[in-house]
Amino acid sequence: MSEIAGELARVKGAFAQPTLTLLHQRQAPVVITIFRTAFGRNNNPIPTARLHTQVEEHLAAIRLAGEQDVPTGSGREICQRWMRGQWLVRSLDEAGHEVYALTSHAQQALELVKNLARDRATLSEHRVATILGTVRRFNSEANPDRTARVTILNEEIARLRAERDRLVDGGDLAGATEDYMLEGFTELLSLISALPSDFARVEERFATIRAEILAAFRAEDRPAGEVIDDYLARADALMTATHEGRAFEGAFALLRDDALVTQLREDLTALLEHPLSDGILSDADRAELRGTVRLVRDGLDRVLAQRSRVTATLKEYIVSHDAARDRELEQTLRQVEAELMTWMATTGPRATHDVALLPARAGVEHLRERFHDPADDVLPDRISTPDPALAPPVSLQELVAQGGPRLATLRERLDAATTSLLPVASLGALFDELEPSLRRPVEIFGLLHLAADREWRAEQSVEPFEAVRPDGSRRTFAVPRTPLPDPDLDPTQHPTQHPTQHPTQHPTEKHA
């Protein structure tokens, strides 16, 4: 293959990436705008139903603004198309709810658009100095010659000592120009805006590893001990076996240093308080710089959560592994599951496939036989009618004591209490004056029923009803207080009670 043909193949491969397919479509401005508005700079996961609603609302607002070329369909359909384009990914959060998140390809596209939308500075002294300083530092850390490294460090120490002595002796303090600060802030914002896509790439790598582990377990036909040893070794080397894992381990090691994180915060604060920063940075840029530490920590938390899912997958399969997995039925089910996952990867969410409940013909080598046992058909013994004479005697008084409330007697006592010259204040007071045979727990419901018929309303407070059961035991119930009307007042007027209470409310047992 010629050089130009190889270069063309590499360029075509780049254009086939989801990042460029997103930017290359006609509706790219609308899609990028919705992604930036919905997910923000931190790519916080959004519940699926909420994102569906947000997409529909944003598209309606864009149409009102005069834009014609917008995606069609419901919010759910549009999000599913974006998932097929590898711009959205759907997963479960810690609470088990479905959420959407941007893939690393979509975040890379957002980063590119953001850099193009930002004012780009031309070649300047700051950029050249940054390149020279980066190359010098890179050489000092990677040069294999010990003498060369020592020479570079000595020169840097001498330069810094001379600059320190000059400032201590009262030398001129050269201030940074506005162009220098603009170029510095531009490069800093560009580096920070690339962090979310970097973390998403590492997170996706862990998700891929988890899928590979699941597929390997489904197809596993090796002994249990070999499987456990193999995957425990993969778990130990998980963070160092891939480029993304090694990069994440390096970033995680740096951010575990509290002094380094404190220094980062102090440096960012000093830059934001610079006199020239007010004329260079917008409010959005300031918020982005101020939230750098939180952005990094959130990215680390998401990657660690994905790594924990890989570890949980290993643990679940290792714990559940036993000798029964070699049985024919389990192997068949695993093959069916593997084929189902392969079929789901190439079909849509509403695809169907007719599967017979049972195979057309089953081949059975041996059928277990069981001969008829006449003892299985013996009828049960007939139910005999008991002799009424053997029933225990029950008196009428005992039956009445176990029955419902005596409404006629209670109505008479209630009428007498409302017409008495010394009326009682409430139903509880009336209940306490009754004889023990009328103070059963069921009589409380009878009094409340009669009070409801007379439209007497209960108060917010409660009062005790000391009931006496037929066996002589006592129980105290807390019942909403229902005052009795004053017989000297107009009978059509009712006492003032709380309108929300009703005397038919159930009593509450207070104590034994």
Side-chain angles (χ1 to χ4, degrees):
M1 181 182 294
S2 62
E3 182 179 355
I4 187 64
E7 187 65 23
L8 177 60
R10 287 189 291 271
V11 172
K12 285 185 175 180
F15 270 88
Q17 294 293 323
T19 300
L20 288 184
T21 57
L22 171 58
L23 297 175
H24 190 63
Q25 61 172 335
R26 294 180 295 103
Q27 300 171 349
V30 175
V31 178
I32 294 295
T33 300
I34 293 177
F35 283 169
R36 293 180 61 175
T37 304
F39 290 93
R41 61 184 293 268
N42 295 332
N43 188 25
N44 294 321
I46 301 177
T48 54
R50 183 186 303 174
L51 183 61
H52 296 163
T53 304
Q54 289 182 358
V55 169
E56 294 175 355
E57 293 177 352
H58 293 331
L59 289 178
I62 291 175
R63 291 190 185 95
L64 291 177
E67 182 66 30
Q68 301 296 329
D69 195 1
V70 296
T72 58
S74 63
R76 179 185 181 87
E77 296 172 350
I78 295 173
C79 290
Q80 288 178 351
R81 290 202 298 268
W82 291 344
M83 287 177 59
R84 290 193 293 269
Q86 300 183 33
W87 308 323
L88 278 182
V89 61
R90 185 168 56 190
S91 60
L92 299 178
D93 60 3
E94 298 178 354
H97 302 148
E98 281 192 346
V99 294
Y100 283 117
L102 292 178
T103 63
S104 61
H105 307 294
Q107 294 190 59
Q108 206 168 11
L110 265 65
E111 177 188 350
L112 179 59
V113 172
K114 185 176 181 179
N115 290 334
L116 293 175
R118 185 182 290 124
D119 294 335
R120 298 178 60 85
T122 57
L123 181 64
S124 63
E125 179 184 358
H126 181 277
R127 178 167 297 183
V128 174
T130 302
I131 295 175
L132 293 176
T134 302
V135 172
R136 190 66 171 174
R137 185 179 65 255
F138 187 21
N139 185 31
S140 66
E141 296 175 354
N143 197 311
D145 188 354
R146 183 185 300 272
T147 304
R149 285 200 190 186
V150 173
T151 301
I152 295 174
L153 292 174
N154 289 334
E155 292 175 356
E156 183 66 17
I157 292 172
R159 186 186 67 81
L160 294 176
R161 182 181 292 111
E163 179 64 15
R164 184 202 60 184
D165 295 340
R166 188 183 68 82
L167 294 176
V168 171
D169 294 338
D172 295 336
L173 181 62
T177 62
E178 186 174 354
D179 292 339
Y180 185 88
M181 296 295 296
L182 176 61
E183 180 69 17
F185 278 125
T186 302
E187 292 182 1
L188 182 58
L189 289 171
S190 177
L191 292 174
I192 294 175
S193 61
L195 288 176
S197 61
D198 293 339
F199 283 119
R201 195 172 295 108
V202 180
E203 187 177 354
E204 291 171 3
R205 178 56 184 165
F206 278 113
T208 302
I209 293 175
R210 180 175 180 271
E212 293 174 354
I213 292 175
L214 288 174
F217 268 119
R218 293 189 185 100
E220 188 59 60
D221 54 359
R222 292 176 292 173
E226 183 180 347
V227 174
I228 294 175
D229 292 340
D230 184 13
Y231 285 101
L232 284 179
R234 281 191 69 178
D236 292 337
L238 193 60
M239 296 303 297
T240 58
T242 62
H243 172 73
E244 293 86 353
R246 290 191 297 268
F248 173 78
E249 279 292 328
F252 187 64
L254 290 176
L255 290 174
R256 278 185 299 184
D257 189 351
D258 294 336
L260 185 61
V261 174
T262 302
Q263 178 184 347
L264 176 61
R265 286 198 180 97
E266 293 176 353
D267 292 339
L268 288 173
T269 302
L271 290 174
L272 292 174
E273 294 177 354
H274 194 277
L276 297 178
S277 64
D278 293 336
I280 298 175
L281 298 175
S282 62
D283 294 339
D285 293 337
R286 285 182 172 275
E288 185 171 353
L289 291 175
R290 194 176 291 111
T292 300
V293 177
R294 185 177 68 254
L295 173 67
V296 174
R297 292 195 183 278
D298 291 343
L300 288 174
D301 291 340
R302 286 197 295 269
V303 174
L304 291 175
Q306 190 63 250
R307 186 175 67 174
S308 299
R309 294 188 65 187
V310 177
T311 306
T313 301
L314 291 170
K315 178 182 177 181
E316 177 183 355
Y317 274 91
I318 290 172
V319 171
S320 62
H321 183 86
D322 53 16
R325 64 179 299 171
D326 295 330
R327 295 177 181 176
E328 181 181 358
L329 177 59
E330 186 168 356
Q331 291 178 356
T332 303
L333 292 177
R334 289 187 180 278
Q335 293 175 4
V336 171
E337 185 180 4
E339 293 297 331
L340 181 62
M341 295 298 295
T342 304
W343 179 71
M344 288 295 294
T346 57
T347 57
R350 297 184 182 276
T352 59
H353 181 70
D354 295 333
V355 180
L357 181 61
L358 292 175
R361 183 177 181 180
V364 181
E365 297 180 359
H366 177 70
L367 288 176
R368 298 181 60 184
E369 298 178 354
R370 185 173 182 271
F371 296 99
H372 173 70
D373 187 0
D376 295 339
D377 295 336
V378 175
L379 297 177
D381 296 335
R382 288 182 172 275
I383 299 177
S384 60
T385 304
D387 187 1
L390 299 178
V394 180
S395 63
L396 178 62
Q397 184 178 1
E398 293 176 346
L399 291 176
V400 172
Q402 299 295 332
R406 305 177 188 177
L407 295 179
T409 305
L410 291 176
R411 187 180 291 107
E412 294 176 359
R413 299 298 179 87
L414 198 59
D415 292 337
T418 55
T419 58
S420 174
L421 296 178
L422 297 175
V424 293
S426 63
L427 286 180
L430 173 63
F431 185 82
D432 292 340
E433 293 179 359
L434 299 176
E435 55 268 32
S437 61
L438 288 178
R439 286 167 56 192
R440 298 177 301 159
V442 71
E443 310 296 352
I444 300 177
F445 291 95
L447 287 176
L448 294 177
H449 174 72
L450 296 175
D453 287 343
R454 305 188 183 197
E455 297 183 355
W456 295 347
R457 297 188 178 275
E459 295 179 344
Q460 193 73 20
S461 58
V462 296
E463 62 179 348
F465 281 63
E466 187 176 1
V468 181
R469 291 180 174 175
D471 59 358
S473 61
R474 295 175 178 267
R475 291 292 183 271
T476 301
F477 297 87
V479 184
R481 185 177 185 275
T482 303
L484 272 64
D486 192 338
D488 296 331
L489 299 179
D490 188 355
T492 61
Q493 295 181 357
H494 303 293
T496 303
Q497 289 103 11
H498 195 277
T500 60
Q501 298 292 332
H502 196 274
T504 57
Q505 291 179 346
H506 288 213
T508 302
E509 186 171 350
K510 190 173 182 183
H511 62 274

